[in-house]
Amino acid sequence: MEETRPLLRPLEDAVTAQQPHTAEYEDTLLAFNPQGDTDNPRDWPASYQWGITALLAFMAFTVTFTCLSVIPVAGHVIADLSPTHQPSRSATVLLVTIWELGEAAGPLLIAPLSELYGRAPVFNCANTLFILGVALSALSPTTGALISARFLTGCAVASNVLNPAVIGDIFPPESRGSAMSAVMLAPLIGGAVGPAIAGAIAQSAGWRQIMWMSVLLAVIAEFLFLTLFRETYSGAILRRRATRLQQEKRGELDEPLESACERVLSQKPGSQSAVIWQAMQRPAKVFRSSLVLQLLSLYGAVAFSFFYTMSTTLPEMLQTQYGFSPALIGSSFLTFSESPPPPS
């Protein structure tokens, strides 16, 4: 099935209806040159495309590491933040699971924003919020503040929704398998080594040092995004071309091209809000109309339930029944490397 770009429809319709595809039209920079275009992500050097893939994998590793690193020490964290009270079992469970509530809510806004403004600005904003959320977790003085910071951090996770989109932007369909495998391998590794490293750090230096390590990883990832990552979404790239064309050839464009540029660039705030709201409703509409998706979602819900039931009960059992230290409890999660990737 041919891929489509819904947000580019006004531009494509305007140009198709009002002007034939000529060499002069290609010079307007309103479409990628099919013979080769340096701005077309699929025409970038293979080394750079795989560099972006490695960067996406590194961010996915950081996210999963941060998410699951608290599992072996969740009870110790709650006890440290509530020294005068008996540690609450519900607070321990919520500390581990609240992340997923944020990850479920965040993509509803991240996905449509990436189609309106491009992948790069949304990635950078989300990564910045992610860093702030993890830093707040490290500085949290109370259990409530820590749980709220974890929820905020989960909402700011952009890799789980934008990584596949970026891979689709830079690779043709027949070449995406290897890149997606690399990106999916990173959360698997993060889910395996994250608790093991976190347990050892918590035992020797305290649980807050785990958070600061996550901050360091996220800062490194964001620095690489700022310096190396280029916009990959064709809609955003072509809109910038249209803006540059209007600025460079002000008053010199013929009527069809001027009209095409205006139709792409003249988006009122109300229309943007409508696009975002429509995109936020789309998952519910698709879910309601697809029995296959409902069954897969049921399977995913059961799998998540078992995963988090084990994650919240295994550390306490290993500590009370077998006398494991936090480092040994974390090491027991290395067995995740033999299972499907945990949620990231």
Side-chain angles (χ1 to χ4, degrees), residues 276-333:
I276 294 175
W277 176 243
Q278 183 180 7
M280 293 176 66
Q281 292 178 309
R282 191 178 302 131
K285 294 179 180 179
V286 174
F287 178 81
R288 186 173 60 249
S289 61
S290 174
L291 177 61
V292 174
L293 182 58
Q294 293 173 10
L295 294 176
L296 289 175
S297 299
L298 178 61
Y299 164 77
V302 173
F304 270 49
S305 299
F306 279 114
F307 173 80
Y308 279 106
T309 298
M310 183 195 67
S311 298
T312 54
T313 57
L314 181 61
E316 182 180 359
M317 181 181 68
L318 292 177
Q319 179 183 0
T320 57
Q321 299 296 326
Y322 297 95
F324 277 23
S325 64
L328 289 177
I329 294 175
S331 298
S332 67
F333 283 83

Side-chain angles (χ1 to χ4, degrees), residues 20 39 76 79 93 122 124 149 247-248 261 273 293 324 327:
D39 285 339
H76 296 277
V93 173
V122 175
N124 289 325
Q247 294 174 349
E248 293 177 353
C261 291
S273 300
L293 182 58
F324 277 23

Side-chain angles (χ1 to χ4, degrees), residues 115-176:
E115 294 184 350
L116 281 176
Y117 302 108
R119 319 291 191 208
V122 175
F123 244 130
N124 289 325
C125 290
N127 290 347
T128 301
L129 289 176
F130 182 87
I131 294 170
L132 292 176
V134 181
L136 288 174
S137 299
L139 298 172
S140 297
T142 63
T143 301
L146 177 58
I147 293 175
S148 300
R150 292 273 294 177
F151 173 75
L152 173 64
T153 310
C155 288
V157 172
S159 61
N160 58 352
V161 61
L162 293 187
N163 280 5
V166 173
I167 295 298
D169 291 339
I170 64 178
F171 290 102
E174 64 273 10
S175 303
R176 294 171 187 167

